[in-house]
Amino acid sequence: MKKAPAVLVFVSCILSLRVAPVRAQNHESTGSDTTTWPKHGWTKGAPASVGLDEKVLAGLDADLATGKYRLVDSFAVFRCGTDVFERSYSHDYGTIYAKEAKTRGPLNAHLTGPYNYFDPAWHPYYHGTDLHTMQSVSKTVSSVILGIAITRGDFKAGLDTPLLKYFNVAKVKNVDERKRRITLRHVLTMSTGLDWNEEVAYDDPRNDADLMEATDDWVQYVIDRPMAQEPGKVFNYSSGVSELLAYIFQKETGQDIEKYGEKYLFTPLGIDHYWKRSPMGVVDTEGGLFLRSTDLAKIGYLYLHNGMWDGKQIVSKDWVKQSLTPFINAEEGFKYGFKWWLWPRADGQHYVWMARGFGGQRLMVFPEENLVIVFTGWEILKDPAGDGELVSRLLQAIRSQTCNSTH
């Protein structure tokens, strides 16, 4: 994910936290049971009605409101298909980032417009609406759309297809045998082996994501990078590799990934969106999606139900399973699947599934608890809250192993 200048600090105590396992409700739903499907909005309820301690959630809310975790824009809790806690926090970003908005730099290569990250018309909200920038959560959603296309038979290539199949190799720089061995699976799992520096902060001029976004042809910038590792061996976070998904999708299916997602994901789930594009018109699958918090939660709910939505298999169970299976050890204690971050639980066998984005965007899915959490924010010059600390605090709110009231 895009990072603020310092390294994220995680609370290690979560690794030893002991929480009784809770079975997700309706995990194998066919749509014929009592599962609620929030296409037209979530059912509202009280935390206690689904076995959550409102005082714990209120305590976190108070810390968010007073700025303990810096520039958080929203916090929402969904359990068992019910929206039980939703808060928003107002910040005057036009004032907060006024100086940076007028100063050219790595996060502001164009001084204005969609890739000036300090421009209040574009970040964090899209032109005054409640559509919030998702940043690298876009990568996860792009993976979902790819899975839908595979499920529907529109994306026919297997995941072991060589990446260079989609390029005129004569026009690609630094081609060697390692680059020829990069596959689509490596693209999905951030393990291409391409030389890419996204470990430094995003206000650092050495960051390849910023350098890419300052060019016109993002895809060419990425595929021209030299190799640093054998594909499939080392996790290296790369927004550039994720941008290749839009290009590959177009080449393989002949369709635009945003328009495809609109038809087969966003419309069926009742999701409004805006999606930025590169100067060449390629969908920004590395970080350009804008969603409402309540709609982002629907993506988590879809995966909680193994790709099922209101009786229809939107994306296959197999794709969901593969996506949430650890493929490689990632950074900061995470493992990584198909554009999903996997945070190990105390038993070492289960995970919190996450989509994460620059500035504090988070979708957290606790499958054993049937719990979906969403955070949005725009802390882009300092570290947002650590994921481990938030996981720990959220688990403290669990009062019932089922969705039933504790009263």
Side-chain angles (χ1 to χ4, degrees):
M1 63 184 287
K2 281 186 178 286
K3 299 173 188 165
V7 178
L8 285 171
V9 177
F10 290 85
V11 176
S12 61
C13 65
I14 184 61
L15 295 174
S16 61
L17 186 64
R18 293 289 182 263
V19 178
V22 183
R23 299 303 172 197
Q25 305 300 302
N26 301 320
H27 209 93
E28 294 293 336
S29 170
T30 62
S32 61
D33 55 20
T34 59
T35 303
T36 58
W37 300 101
K39 178 176 179 179
H40 302 293
W42 292 86
T43 300
K44 300 283 187 176
S49 70
V50 291
L52 297 177
D53 189 332
E54 185 168 3
K55 290 182 178 179
V56 174
L57 299 177
L60 178 54
D61 168 45
D63 284 343
L64 296 171
T66 56
K68 176 177 180 179
Y69 297 113
R70 295 191 296 270
L71 299 182
V72 174
D73 295 322
S74 70
F75 165 44
V77 180
F78 308 82
R79 195 180 194 200
C80 311
T82 304
D83 179 347
V84 297
F85 198 92
E86 192 175 344
R87 300 289 187 272
S88 61
Y89 315 94
S90 179
H91 304 287
D92 183 356
Y93 287 108
T95 298
I96 292 170
Y97 294 131
K99 179 180 178 181
E100 291 85 354
K102 299 175 182 177
T103 306
R104 194 182 301 274
L107 285 170
N108 181 8
H110 306 282
L111 282 181
T112 188
Y115 291 96
N116 173 352
Y117 288 92
F118 304 106
D119 186 338
W122 287 93
H123 299 94
Y125 294 98
Y126 172 66
H127 289 283
T129 68
D130 57 354
L131 295 175
H132 196 284
T133 181
M134 293 289 101
Q135 294 306 122
S136 290
V137 171
S138 310
K139 298 174 171 67
T140 308
V141 177
S142 298
S143 171
V144 177
I145 297 172
L146 176 62
I148 293 172
I150 291 173
T151 298
R152 298 183 58 81
D154 295 322
F155 194 103
K156 301 183 186 303
L159 296 186
D160 296 318
T161 300
L163 173 61
L164 288 181
K165 169 190 173 182
Y166 300 100
F167 293 88
N168 179 348
V169 177
K171 295 182 179 179
V172 176
K173 296 178 181 178
N174 299 303
V175 174
D176 61 13
E177 289 307 308
R178 289 182 298 179
K179 186 173 283 192
R180 293 181 187 277
R181 287 194 286 270
I182 299 174
T183 67
L184 301 186
R185 191 182 308 275
H186 300 138
V187 171
L188 283 168
T189 56
M190 299 283 194
S191 61
T192 62
L194 287 168
D195 184 14
W196 189 270
N197 181 10
E198 211 164 329
E199 291 304 303
V200 296
Y202 285 87
D203 60 353
D204 189 311
R206 299 171 296 168
N207 192 299
D208 272 305
D210 295 327
L211 293 170
M212 176 189 70
E213 289 183 0
T215 70
D216 289 335
D217 193 336
W218 296 6
V219 171
Q220 195 68 46
Y221 180 90
V222 177
I223 198 62
D224 282 345
R225 297 297 298 165
M227 296 297 291
Q229 303 284 345
E230 177 67 26
K233 300 299 184 182
V234 177
F235 177 89
N236 183 29
Y237 188 82
S238 171
S239 291
V241 163
S242 299
E243 179 58 18
L244 295 181
L245 283 179
Y247 172 83
I248 294 166
F249 193 94
Q250 179 74 46
K251 287 288 187 179
E252 177 65 29
T253 67
Q255 301 187 60
D256 180 272
I257 194 170
E258 177 187 8
K259 293 177 181 177
Y260 193 93
E262 172 71 28
K263 184 174 182 179
Y264 295 114
L265 176 65
F266 298 140
T267 296
L269 271 60
I271 293 176
D272 294 327
H273 80 284
Y274 177 80
W275 211 328
K276 297 190 294 186
R277 291 175 181 254
S278 77
M280 300 285 284
V282 180
V283 179
D284 181 358
T285 46
E286 57 98 17
L289 184 61
F290 291 72
L291 298 174
R292 296 185 182 92
S293 296
T294 50
D295 283 343
L296 175 58
K298 295 176 183 178
I299 301 295
Y301 198 63
L302 175 69
Y303 270 50
L304 263 182
H305 290 84
N306 295 307
M308 181 74 72
W309 187 272
D310 196 13
K312 184 176 182 180
Q313 196 74 45
I314 301 294
V315 60
S316 72
K317 293 181 180 181
D318 182 63
W319 183 261
V320 172
K321 181 179 179 180
Q322 288 187 70
S323 298
L324 301 172
T325 298
F327 177 84
I328 197 165
N329 291 329
E331 57 199 31
E332 299 158 344
F334 282 94
K335 296 182 183 298
Y336 203 70
F338 290 172
K339 304 298 182 190
W340 284 88
W341 297 89
L342 307 171
W343 180 257
R345 296 292 295 268
D347 61 7
Q349 303 297 315
H350 298 89
Y351 299 89
V352 180
W353 313 332
M354 294 192 205
R356 304 161 71 222
F358 180 46
Q361 324 322 316
R362 288 185 181 88
L363 168 63
M364 296 180 166
V365 182
F366 299 73
E368 283 70 47
E369 287 78 14
N370 202 347
L371 180 67
V372 178
I373 307 290
V374 173
F375 293 94
T376 63
W378 202 232
E379 179 51 84
I380 59 176
L381 293 178
K382 298 177 182 177
D383 288 337
D387 295 274
E389 181 173 357
L390 294 176
V391 166
S392 178
R393 293 192 65 169
L394 291 164
L395 286 175
Q396 292 171 23
I398 303 294
R399 290 291 177 267
S400 172
Q401 293 186 0
T402 70
C403 296
N404 299 325
S405 169
T406 57
H407 300 294

